[in-house]
Amino acid sequence: MASIEFKQICKSYGNISVIKGIDLEIKDGELVVFVGPSGCGKSTLLRLLAGLEEEDSGSMYIGETLVNSIAPKDRNIAMIFQNYALYPHMTVAENIGFGLKLRGMNKKKRARAVDETASLLGLKHLLTKQPRQLSGGQRQRVAMGRAIIRNPEVFLMDEPLSNLDAKLRNQMRIEIRKLQRRLKTTTIFVTHDQIEAMTLADRIVVLNDGKVQQVGAPSKLYSSPVNKFVAGFLGSPSINFIHARRTGDNELTLPDGQCVLLPMDQAQILSDLREVEIGIRPEQINIVKKSDQTAMEKNTITWSSSVSLIESLGSEKLVYSFHGEHEVAIKTTNSNGALEGSNIQLSFSMNNAHLFALNDGRCLSPVAGNA
Amino acid sequence: MMVDACHLWLAMRKVKYMADNVTARGKKRLLKPFYNAGYIKAWLYLAPALLFLILFTYYPMVQVLWDSFFLKEYGAEKKLFVAFDNYRRLFADEDFITAVKNNLIYAIGTVIPSIVIGFGFALSLTQSSRFKNCIRSLLFFPTLVPLVAAAALWIFIYFPGIGLLDYYLAKLGIQSTDWLGDPDIALYSLMILTIWKNAGFYMLFFIAGLQGIGEEYYEAASLEGAGWWQKLRYVTLPLLAPTSAFVFVIALIHVFTHVDHVIVMTLGGPMGSTNLVLYYIYQNAHEFNDLAKATTATVLSVMVLLAISFFSIRTMERGIHYES
């Protein structure tokens, strides 16, 4: 077990810069998820740590050791690949014990270790089978077995669940979480799936365009994103953005002409910005009864629009409507009788909204900035 | 011909798989295979190729087998049934025994080195770069040269005293050797030509095979602690087994079916030292007019080849369906 540290890591392929100076510290025993869209550099960063790619500059530490020039096999890490990379010509037992064999452990000891690992993962009855005889979930477990048997200091997982169907993915996600809690091995998990990131991570590292956007606990990133990208990337359906012009010290005007007063603390941070975007989570928008005008307050935005689509998730409903030209998603348990095509009244309070600068996307609202 | 037979055999296995897949589970499919639409369709696809193979391959094979039990004196009207007499005559023929022995030495001495060398080339030339592509083409070049032309070329290389080989060996102080005229050396000289000619061809198969092995297998291995040799031993070689089996069969078939260089360079001599089974058959059929003996030797060599091919493809199929 060990901590990990990236210092000013850069990597480019030819003229294309993939990792642009990343600084990151990961604590001993932590499960950190790298999340971001395709091409954001998350896998590259993982492969750099594994030693499968060579960095252009910067340094990486595992524990106290500078690992830049250490061969992959001597970094004491184990990696789980997206397609598992199980050897088709070896049995499950041989696959799991491969690393020990290469490191010269004798047959008896190896068999015992394989046995222990297999029973930990519920693979004991499959030890003599070959990978092609296994289901996706079983292969996934064998790959995990191969990783944990050597008791490495770090686990690296490169989108290990993306080849599984949805139900199995949830199940394996929970298993990985439990296993990690039990083994307390520092783990980096790469995914592009924000739900996986939210549910698995001790801390999430949101990457975009080769840079770290924000690091923090899932709930913190969700409630206090530092910029528009993080706000938009986490959450499903994703956050709604509404453009607004500043028409007074603490007054914003929306495209439909409606004015709203900002709470004082929000207004202060705006300083001299003229244009902003209001970000509001789907679950923070309410569908209100037309007659119910009493709840209106000065910092509440209310408008009416038609419903374009309703998706039912069982206990909750996703209602898609519009604010001006922008499509707006609403997540609610109480749709107040909204039907597709019908007109509804929507409202949200500015107290729940995030403000983003239109020019650079940074978050302005105090809920985010300093929390 | 042998290759065609292998292909057909594989195709027929496919027909069986197709039919099996179409047949409803639990039905007794062996009892009425022809009621099955999938089965008939599969056979129809196969029919054109099968027709020509029967006409030009299987019918002649059966005919040859049949003929090997008869003796027809030159100029005689009627074939005479002699049962296994031709086989007895064949095995009593010292020239035949020599040819078989030569062929075995030739097989072992060319198949293994050319496969190993081809594999070595492939290993070092798998990654594409302009330089490597160039080298690949150079190494593949001997395959493109017809064996007859290659043999003619090598006559000049082997020419005693003034040939390319002796010329440069002389500079090193090694005296002239009669590469093709010395009965102790001639066969080995032919073997070197064969290795030169085939290694590049096998390299091509190995390169294709190597490129089919996913990079992640090597990455996983390096993280698990494998060095260069261990990656070769535990990843490359086992994953390349289907390719190797295939190349092995092709190489063996080459050994028994190519004699152009014998005809061009040595005519089986000196003193039968380079006589191979196919050349022996050719001699008996066309020079000694002992058609019965040639026929019989043909039957035997085809049987050996069939056995080798079936055995190899069997092992190849059993071990290894690697697509997951």
Side-chain angles (χ1 to χ4, degrees), chain A residues 47 50 52 72-73 77-79 81 83 85-90 98-99 101-103 132 139 146-147 150, chain B residues 215-227 230-231 233-235 238-239 318-324:
Chain A
R47 293 168 60 83
L52 299 174
K73 69 187 173 90
I77 48 186
M79 186 156 168
F81 292 81
N83 57 4
L86 299 179
Y87 297 107
H89 56 285
M90 297 184 193
F98 187 49
K101 184 178 181 180
L102 292 176
R103 280 155 209 268
R132 69 191 147 96
R139 287 179 202 187
R146 190 170 68 186
R150 280 193 288 117
Chain B
E215 191 56 35
E216 70 277 4
Y217 288 126
Y218 293 107
E219 292 178 347
S222 31
L223 287 170
E224 292 302 314
Q230 286 168 314
K231 281 185 206 167
R233 161 84 180 74
Y234 294 116
V235 182
L239 289 178
R318 189 189 310 138
I320 359 193
H321 281 285
Y322 279 157
E323 72 280 23
S324 46

Side-chain angles (χ1 to χ4, degrees), chain B residues 140-151:
Chain B
F140 185 64
F141 174 73
T143 308
L144 300 175
V145 181
L147 186 49
V148 175

Side-chain angles (χ1 to χ4, degrees), chain A residues 237 309-314 316-320 330 340:
Chain A
L309 182 72
I310 296 179
E311 289 180 330
S312 177
L313 303 177
E316 289 171 320
K317 280 187 174 133
L318 298 179
V319 179
Y320 295 92
I330 302 112
E340 280 179 23

